[in-house]
Amino acid sequence: MNYISDELLLEAYDYAKMLNLDPAFIKLLEKEIKRRGL
């Protein structure tokens, strides 16, 4: 998932939480955020 910027990743995470998207997708974003140390 290195193709998107840190800023875009965090924005996608915020929107995913706000829109109550699939929990598996949110977990994937959380894992990548943690991997990047954000």
Side-chain angles (χ1 to χ4, degrees):
M1 207 183 281
N2 288 330
Y3 301 116
I4 65 173
S5 68
D6 292 347
E7 182 180 352
L8 187 56
L9 175 61
L10 292 171
E11 189 174 324
Y13 175 74
D14 287 340
Y15 276 111
K17 294 279 283 187
M18 184 174 58
L19 297 172
N20 293 317
L21 297 184
D22 185 0
F25 178 65
I26 293 172
K27 285 286 187 193
L28 178 70
L29 294 174
E30 288 173 346
K31 183 177 175 185
E32 181 62 16
I33 289 168
K34 189 173 282 189
R35 186 186 75 79
R36 293 186 188 194
L38 303 177

